[in-house]
Amino acid sequence: MILSQLTVIGELRRSTKTQAHVPILQSLASFMSSILWLKYGLLKHDSTVTLVNLFGALVALYIIGCFWYYASQRRHVETRFLLTLCLSVVVVGFVDYSGHMRAMEVFSVACCVLSLVFLASPLGQAKEVVRLRDASVLLPSVAALAMANNVLWAAYGHLHGDPFMFFPNAVGAVLCFGQLALIARYGRSAAKMPLVDNENAPEMDAML
């Protein structure tokens, strides 16, 4: 699932020549979600959760770097990443330094919310997908593997009696199925459609 997110890099390359828009929100949510679940794994002394999310955070960081590289306005990417990083530090710091007995429970809920934001973020484009009758902003490989991933993590949470892992992943599987349903219904024609005005294409090809 984590490696499947790397397919967005191909979408970024193609977006320099097509009409497709590649949103960064999912990658930012993936980064923050991985950071929080990494901390959750450390607090729970769960090496599986810790290692998986450490790898996930590194992959998400690399993808965000690719967004920065291909961005026409890099300052926008930098600002959004710094905001995401600051928010991650605040939430992790809360559970580390808060003396409240329910701090861990609040932190666990935050992990669940971030997981759902990551998985639901592509559906923020659903209105445009329906209006344009084109699902090019959705990545089928990511959605399919994310659904399988969520089913497995939901099973893991159920077997370990951890509701904070079970419920967000169960809901996440449904959200990913919704993405696949939109892709199946409307297709991804704009992702393959070249721009009419392509005067700068040779320059872009040289950059790539």
Side-chain angles (χ1 to χ4, degrees), residues 34-99:
S34 294
I35 292 294
L36 297 192
W37 281 109
L38 168 61
K39 181 63 177 179
Y40 183 88
L42 291 171
L43 292 172
K44 290 286 189 177
H45 304 290
D46 190 325
S47 59
T48 300
V49 175
T50 300
L51 292 174
V52 167
N53 285 284
L54 173 60
F55 182 61
L58 293 174
V59 171
L61 186 61
Y62 173 71
I63 293 172
I64 293 169
C66 291
F67 269 97
W68 178 85
Y69 179 79
Y70 290 107
S72 57
Q73 297 182 356
R74 290 177 173 176
R75 186 172 295 275
H76 288 175
V77 177
E78 294 166 359
T79 301
R80 293 170 185 174
F81 174 69
L82 287 175
L83 288 173
T84 302
L85 185 61
C86 289
L87 185 56
S88 301
V89 171
V90 169
V91 176
V92 169
F94 167 77
V95 73
D96 274 340
Y97 298 104
S98 175

Side-chain angles (χ1 to χ4, degrees), residues 5 17 31 84 90 100 118 131 159 163 174 180 188-189:
Q5 296 178 60
K17 302 177 183 179
F31 175 74
T84 302
V90 169
H100 200 284
F118 164 57
R131 184 178 70 83
L159 292 173
V174 175
L180 292 172
R188 304 180 69 247
S189 57

Side-chain angles (χ1 to χ4, degrees), residues 43 49 57 86 102 106 127 185-186 201:
L43 292 172
V49 175
C86 289
R102 299 190 66 182
V106 173
K127 184 177 179 180
R185 175 66 179 84
Y186 297 109

Side-chain angles (χ1 to χ4, degrees), residues 7 11 135-146 179-180 183 188:
T7 58
E11 296 292 328
S136 295
V137 294
L138 303 178
L139 303 178
S141 59
V142 174
L145 289 172
Q179 293 180 51
L180 292 172
I183 293 169
R188 304 180 69 247

